[in-house]
Amino acid sequence: MKKYQAVGIGNAVVDVISQSDDGFLSTYGIEKGIMQLIEGDRAEHLYDAMENRAQMPGGSVANTIAGLGAMGLSTAFIGRVCDDELGRYYAKGMADAGTDFVNAPVPGGELPTSRSMIFVSPDGERSMNTYLGISTELDASDVDDEVAGGAALLFLEGYLYDKPKGKAAFTEAARACRAAGGKAGISLSDPFCVDRHRDGFRQLVRELDYVLGNEHEWKSLYQTEDLGAALEQAAAESGLIVCTRSGHDVVAVQGSESVSVPVQEIVPVDATGAGDQFAAGFLYGFATGQTLNVSGRMGCIAAAEVISHYGARPERDVKEMFRAEGLL
C-alpha cells in the first residue's frame, strides 16, 4: 500500500480575491482572463487597490490536491513558503483541509510567500496577477523521496518549468514516484507556459503516464489551430491525455479508448479553479479505478461545483455529488 494516494508538487500561492469590473481592469492595466506574472512592487500596488478581499491557500496543483483530499484520498503537497504570516497561514490551511504540507515554512527567507491577486469580473471571468516570491526557489532538496516515492499518483505543475530549480524538483519527484511503481503526470498549466517550454513538454508527454490540459494548451503544444490534429498526435505519444474545452465536451484518450464527456454549461459565479477542480474530479476517478467516462463526469461535476461560488476550492461535499449522480 502506498502512503499517499495522490501527491502534488507546484507553486504554493496564497490567493487573494476581490470583485472588479472591466473599467477597473483597464485602469490598472490588467489583461482580462489570463494569468500574468508580476514583480513585488506591482503586487503591493494591486493588493492595496483590492476591495473586500478574501484570501485562501492556492496554487493550481495545490488546489487539485486539496480537492482530492476533500474527497477522502490520502494526499500531500510539496511546495515552498516563507516563515511569514502568509506562509504560516498557507501551511495551516493545507493541513486543515486534510493534505499534508510536507515542507516546513522557510525561516529567514529573502523572498516572501507567493501570492496571486485575482480580480473576478461580473461575468465570472478571473484575471490573475501572480507574484511568485519564494515558490520560485523550490528545488530538488525540497523533494522527500519517501513522499514522492510513496505516491500512487503524482501530479506535477507545468509552471515549475519556468525556473531551473523548479524543473529539477519536478524531475526528482517524477523519478522517485515512477521508480517506486507510481504514476506521474502533468498539468500543462497555460498556453504561455507551453510556449515557453514546448520542447520539454513534448518530451514529458512521451515520458509521463498522463497529461491534462485545455484546448488552447494542446493547440499551443503542437503549434496548430486544429485541435483534432493536436489530440491525435498527443494520443499517439502518451498513455493518457485529457482535454477540457470551456463549455464543450471533455475529450479523454487512453490507448485505443476515446471518450467524449458532455458538459452542462452554466454561468459561472467565479471561474477561478475550474481546471484545478476538474483535474481533482478526474484524478479521483483515475485513482480509484473508474472508467474514462466516469472519471470525466466526475471532473465535470467538481468543476461545476467550484465555479458556482467564489474561490478555487470546493464548498460542497463533491463525493456526495458523485453519489447523487450514481457514479459511486
Side-chain angles (χ1 to χ4, degrees), residues 90-242:
Y90 190 97
K92 183 177 185 300
M94 292 295 286
D96 288 349
T99 291
D100 288 349
F101 187 71
V102 298
N103 305 92
V106 178
E110 293 184 4
L111 294 172
T113 295
S114 309
R115 72 286 311 267
S116 181
M117 275 60 69
I118 302 173
F119 298 91
V120 182
S121 303
D123 60 3
E125 190 61 82
R126 79 275 191 268
S127 307
M128 303 172 68
N129 298 263
T130 302
Y131 170 61
L132 288 178
I134 198 171
S135 66
T136 61
E137 297 299 303
L138 184 76
D139 61 27
S141 69
D142 293 305
V143 177
D144 185 332
D145 280 1
E146 290 189 7
V147 174
L153 284 184
L154 180 71
F155 195 37
L156 305 156
E157 187 171 300
Y159 286 128
L160 288 182
Y161 253 54
D162 278 335
K163 295 286 185 178
K165 289 181 178 180
K167 182 177 178 180
F170 181 118
T171 302
E172 175 61 21
R175 181 206 60 76
C177 172
R178 302 186 82 209
K183 294 183 177 180
I186 183 178
S187 162
L188 293 177
S189 292
D190 79 26
F192 301 106
C193 186
V194 173
D195 287 341
R196 294 191 294 270
H197 308 292
R198 183 172 291 106
D199 291 344
F201 282 5
R202 286 285 303 275
Q203 183 176 347
L204 291 172
V205 169
R206 294 189 290 269
E207 293 179 353
L208 297 180
D209 301 293
Y210 61 94
V211 183
L212 277 62
N214 65 35
E215 59 181 317
H216 306 295
E217 292 155 5
W218 284 114
K219 288 192 288 188
S220 173
L221 187 63
Y222 291 98
Q223 295 179 285
T224 177
E225 288 303 309
D226 185 338
L227 179 62
L231 296 183
E232 182 177 359
Q233 189 166 351
E237 296 179 344
S238 177
L240 169 62
I241 65 162
V242 183

